[in-house]
Every structure is written in C-alpha cells, then in structure tokens.
Amino acid sequence: MKKLITLLVCVFAFIGMSHSQSKIQPAKVGVNYGKKIDKNGAVSVKKLESNLAKSKTFDGKIEGQVVQVCKKKGCFLTLKREGDQEPIMVRFTDYAYFVPEDLIGKTVVVAGKAKVKETTVEWQKHYAEDMGKSKEEIAKINKPKQDISVVADGVLVVK
C-alpha cells in the first residue's frame, strides 16, 4: 500500500510539473519559443521573397511582423508581406512548441526552412478555421494557391 501511495504521489507530481512547463510565455522582447535562436543574420520578408525567386528553398532566419496566430492553440503564425499579398505561413517543426496570441503585431525572427509550395483547398480551410474565420469566409475558399511556407525550429521576439 505504501508503494502504491508513493507511486501515485510521483505520478501526480510529474503531471503537475509537465502541465506547468507547457504554459506559453507572454510575448515580450527576448522571449524564445522552440529552439533558442538569436537575430544575427536574419533577412527581411522582402529579401526572403527575392531569394525564393532565385532558389526553390531558403534555410536561415527571417525577420518579420506577426499578423496572425492560430487561435486554437498557437500552432502557427503568419508574417506580414508588402501590399495585398497573403501573409507567409510559419508552422513549427513537429508542432514541438506553440506561441501566444499576444504575439500579433510584434516583430519576430524565425529560424527554419522556407519554400514556395501549393496549399490545397482542404489545408486553406483548416488554417482559416484555426484563425477563427467565419463559415462564410471559409466557404469562399475553392482553389489551391501558391504561397510561401516556413517550418521554424525557433521564434524570437525582437520588437
């Protein structure tokens, strides 16, 4: 009986520790999500677009302003592009970490791999739902689109 009680105490302590570690820190300058990175060598979103016009992929750091964060659990963010262009989708390697909604409007550096790819109608609808868009907006999505996608190992808040 004593061993059972000790085992239960250990299990509940472990659950409590893992739950407290899963809390997402508020977005403040200097906070890292995922792999710890720095801003050295980061290119602008515009420079990324220029690089991807020449090469199909980019591996490095990108600095940009966050315009959207997944409302369900912070499982992706988007970076602002110039003009009326669709923002750049940034997902996280193996969904190993999440970011807070208060990241919207902040400038971040993301480190990872970027590429131009086609996003299916199904995935566009999934992302739109995760962003909290209305059923009417989601229903208007009816064709695949070419866009820039980043899979990031880490995110650093810089402004």
Side-chain angles (χ1 to χ4, degrees):
M1 184 70 167
K2 194 172 187 178
K3 286 183 181 180
L4 179 62
I5 292 172
T6 304
L7 177 65
L8 287 173
V9 168
C10 289
V11 168
F12 286 117
F14 176 76
I15 290 170
M17 285 179 8
S18 33
H19 179 69
S20 68
Q21 290 174 352
S22 65
K23 281 191 120 184
I24 302 171
Q25 291 185 0
K28 294 183 180 166
V29 173
V31 173
N32 264 283
Y33 303 98
K35 180 181 171 185
K36 186 171 174 128
I37 62 171
D38 60 43
K39 65 181 188 172
N40 296 334
V43 300
S44 66
V45 168
K46 189 171 185 169
K47 180 73 172 161
L48 171 67
E49 291 174 296
S50 174
N51 287 343
L52 289 173
K54 300 173 200 160
S55 174
K56 294 183 186 233
T57 61
F58 172 84
D59 191 359
K61 298 176 191 171
I62 306 142
E63 183 173 334
Q65 182 182 20
V66 177
V67 290
Q68 298 166 314
V69 171
C70 171
K71 291 186 184 299
K72 285 200 173 179
K73 60 183 175 183
C75 54
F76 66 81
L77 62 87
T78 62
L79 296 176
K80 185 177 182 174
R81 294 171 76 183
E82 289 186 14
D84 292 336
Q85 296 183 63
E86 287 286 319
I88 294 172
M89 173 66 70
V90 179
R91 292 175 290 121
F92 312 124
T93 305
D94 299 326
Y95 289 99
Y97 61 96
F98 304 104
V99 297
E101 274 193 74
D102 69 343
L103 201 58
I104 295 171
K106 307 275 188 203
T107 300
V108 298
V109 170
V110 300
K113 295 178 181 6
K115 65 181 178 180
V116 176
K117 69 172 202 128
E118 183 174 278
T119 304
T120 65
V121 170
E122 180 181 54
W123 274 107
Q124 288 179 67
K125 287 184 177 194
H126 174 79
Y127 293 139
E129 187 179 298
D130 283 355
M131 284 187 253
K133 294 198 175 182
S134 70
K135 289 183 182 197
E136 293 78 22
E137 290 174 291
I138 294 169
K140 291 179 184 176
I141 300 169
N142 59 14
K143 60 184 175 183
K145 68 175 183 174
Q146 292 285 321
D147 58 6
I148 297 173
S149 176
V150 178
V151 177
D153 297 322
V155 177
L156 170 65
V157 182
V158 295
K159 288 187 201 167

